[in-house]
Amino acid sequence: MKRWLYATLFIFLIVILSSCGKKAPLEDLTLALILGIDLDDKNNLVFYEINPVFSKEAKKGTESYEVKAKTIRDSRRLFDALTTGEVTAGKIQVLLVGKRVLQHEDWFPILDTVYRNPTFSMSTRVVTVDGPVSKVVVHNPEEKPQLSLHLKALIDKNYDRTRAVKGTLQELHREIYEKGMTPFISEVKKEKNIELAGISLLDNKGKYAQFLNVPESTLLLMLQNKKRHEITLTIPVLPNKDEKNIFHKNVISFAVNKVKTRIKPGYKQNKFQFNISITLTINIVERLFPEEKLNNDQLTAAIEKVLKKQIEDLIKKIQKKKIDPIGLGLYARAYQYTHYKKVENKWGEALAESDVNVSVKIDINSNGAVIQK
């Protein structure tokens, strides 16, 4: 008897709980897929929204809107006045932020409602736009999928190929408040098409500090030990004797199978020291000069020299801006806590004065099936 009583009570609770809450039909909702934030020429906040259209009569599969508002939450009221359904932000895939916004150090608090709203996805990609956000929002080529799907796939594909970062809302929030490193997000630009430009480096207050192109972005991710799938790099290893040579017979391309980055922090003479050793296992996939010009040992040394110089230049660029996207502060905190604690609130300045030594070790695993004579 008790079993039947418990079973009846259980079913009753399921029915009651499943019926709680207001559920709006899909046709009565406007599902925002992209949210854009930018500044106009007079530094007024401008918000953009792209929504799918669920109607057989509609000629386009999406609709886009632009409003001026003081906050993101205030913009929702204006979007509701323009759309046919009630706007919901739970399906936003990409948050586009104009570079003009990021050039102000006090921009991050405008995302307050995003983090307070439990329906807002923390996996939303945050992406810098080099130029007006409006140019990206209105881009709708017929040969591409919906813009939200295209942008998300563009970021995720290059993330898998170690050229970009996902830069989700959750990651951005953690990096903004982490004293041992500074934030970074992927950057796109609109030329003929929308393309990945590289990575935007921000300072400890979230202000735009430095741009890294795609090859530099790959080096940064290698320093962070964030290699995912196979990396392909193309570098010059011989002097370019003929600048008019259109075939670039001084370069080599190789696929990086394995990357191991070791960072050893220290503290001497009142400043931090970091010894960074990078070991790579590579396969030669393209070589535009004869093998007789460089034997295997000479080629290994040449690649190591070029990569070492590129990584050192990248680190100098980072130190000059007093930022730390590599996360060297995390190593300093873990292994030199007493010294780090004294400078944690001005870590960028401490890193700028630090000595960073880089060593690169290359192991050529394969030269390919056919060797050029």
Side-chain angles (χ1 to χ4, degrees):
M1 186 66 182
K2 287 185 178 181
R3 291 183 179 179
W4 284 105
L5 180 61
Y6 288 146
T8 304
L9 180 60
F10 181 70
I11 295 172
F12 175 76
L13 289 174
I14 291 178
V15 173
I16 292 297
L17 291 175
S18 63
S19 63
C20 293
K22 180 182 178 182
K23 295 183 179 180
L26 183 61
E27 59 270 17
D28 293 338
L29 295 176
T30 296
L31 304 177
L33 299 179
I34 292 181
L35 178 64
I37 307 173
D38 207 354
L39 291 173
D40 63 13
D41 294 335
K42 296 181 180 180
N43 278 344
N44 295 312
L45 276 170
V46 184
F47 298 92
Y48 301 88
E49 184 180 277
I50 296 182
N51 315 311
V53 178
F54 303 103
S55 175
K56 294 181 180 179
E57 291 78 15
K59 295 181 179 180
K60 293 173 60 178
T62 59
E63 57 183 359
S64 59
Y65 295 99
E66 172 187 339
V67 299
K68 290 183 180 180
K70 295 181 179 180
T71 67
I72 293 178
R73 188 65 185 182
D74 187 42
S75 71
R76 179 173 177 177
R77 169 182 60 85
L78 300 174
F79 285 132
D80 276 335
L82 295 171
T83 59
T84 54
E86 180 182 350
V87 176
T88 176
K91 299 298 181 181
I92 290 180
Q93 304 290 306
V94 180
L95 173 62
L96 299 174
V97 185
K99 187 181 289 187
R100 286 173 59 93
V101 175
L102 296 178
Q103 288 170 344
H104 296 264
E105 65 179 28
D106 56 347
W107 75 273
F108 186 72
I110 67 175
L111 299 184
D112 180 81
T113 187
V114 168
Y115 291 106
R116 289 179 186 273
N117 187 349
T119 64
F120 211 108
S121 174
M122 289 296 101
S123 63
T124 298
R125 277 57 169 163
V126 185
V127 181
T128 305
V129 177
D130 181 12
V133 173
S134 58
K135 286 188 176 181
V136 175
V137 170
V138 300
H139 184 68
N140 188 27
E142 296 181 355
E143 67 275 9
K144 292 284 196 307
Q146 287 186 4
L147 184 60
S148 60
L149 300 176
H150 174 58
L151 277 172
K152 184 175 180 294
L154 178 69
I155 297 301
D156 291 355
K157 175 192 67 177
N158 284 284
Y159 166 73
D160 285 337
R161 295 181 178 179
T162 321
R163 298 171 185 163
V165 293
K166 280 190 176 182
T168 63
L169 281 168
Q170 183 176 8
E171 292 170 348
L172 178 62
H173 189 276
R174 176 181 61 84
E175 292 163 4
I176 284 285
Y177 292 103
E178 171 57 68
K179 294 182 179 181
M181 68 182 303
T182 49
F184 47 95
I185 53 180
S186 295
E187 182 171 323
V188 299
K189 62 181 179 180
K190 168 66 173 64
E191 299 291 346
K192 184 177 179 181
N193 293 300
I194 298 173
E195 59 185 75
L196 177 73
I199 289 179
S200 304
L201 303 183
L202 313 181
D203 65 15
N204 60 345
K205 294 183 179 179
K207 184 179 180 181
Y208 194 96
Q210 183 66 52
F211 166 73
L212 298 183
N213 59 30
V214 173
E216 290 174 324
S217 301
T218 298
L219 295 178
L220 173 64
L221 295 171
M222 286 169 52
L223 287 170
Q224 296 174 338
N225 257 328
K226 289 186 177 179
K227 172 191 174 295
R228 291 180 60 78
H229 301 317
E230 187 178 85
I231 303 172
T232 300
L233 297 174
T234 299
I235 61 173
V237 293
L238 289 173
N240 188 12
K241 296 181 180 180
D242 186 2
E243 295 182 357
K244 296 181 180 179
N245 187 347
I246 62 175
F247 297 110
H248 305 287
K249 293 187 177 181
N250 64 328
V251 303
I252 191 168
S253 298
F254 52 89
V256 181
N257 293 332
K258 297 179 182 179
V259 178
K260 182 65 176 180
T261 301
R262 294 182 177 88
I263 300 176
K264 185 177 180 181
Y267 191 86
K268 292 181 180 180
Q269 299 178 346
N270 295 323
K271 59 182 177 180
F272 288 91
Q273 294 183 337
F274 296 93
N275 293 317
I276 303 176
S277 60
I278 305 172
T279 305
L280 302 93
T281 303
I282 67 173
N283 294 330
I284 306 300
V285 295
E286 186 178 57
R287 179 173 175 163
L288 300 184
F289 52 88
E291 186 184 10
E292 62 189 27
K293 286 195 174 184
L294 289 177
N295 61 36
N296 215 51
D297 291 339
Q298 292 172 326
L299 179 60
T300 299
I303 295 174
E304 289 175 348
K305 181 180 179 180
V306 173
L307 282 181
K308 182 176 185 294
K309 178 66 166 54
Q310 289 182 347
I311 293 171
E312 287 176 339
D313 289 344
L314 173 61
I315 292 174
K316 288 177 182 177
K317 183 183 291 189
I318 289 170
Q319 287 181 297
K320 185 177 180 180
K321 293 296 183 177
K322 299 180 180 180
I323 54 178
D324 185 12
I326 302 172
L328 295 178
L330 302 178
Y331 289 87
R333 185 171 62 197
Y335 296 96
Q336 300 292 332
Y337 180 76
T338 302
H339 299 296
Y340 169 80
K341 193 64 179 176
K342 298 176 183 178
V343 296
E344 66 174 346
N345 293 322
K346 49 180 180 178
W347 171 244
E349 297 176 8
L351 179 60
E353 298 173 356
S354 301
D355 291 330
V356 183
N357 304 306
V358 177
S359 64
V360 178
K361 175 67 176 176
I362 299 294
D363 179 21
I364 299 179
N365 186 53
S366 170
N367 280 288
V370 178
I371 299 177
Q372 182 179 352
K373 299 295 186 181

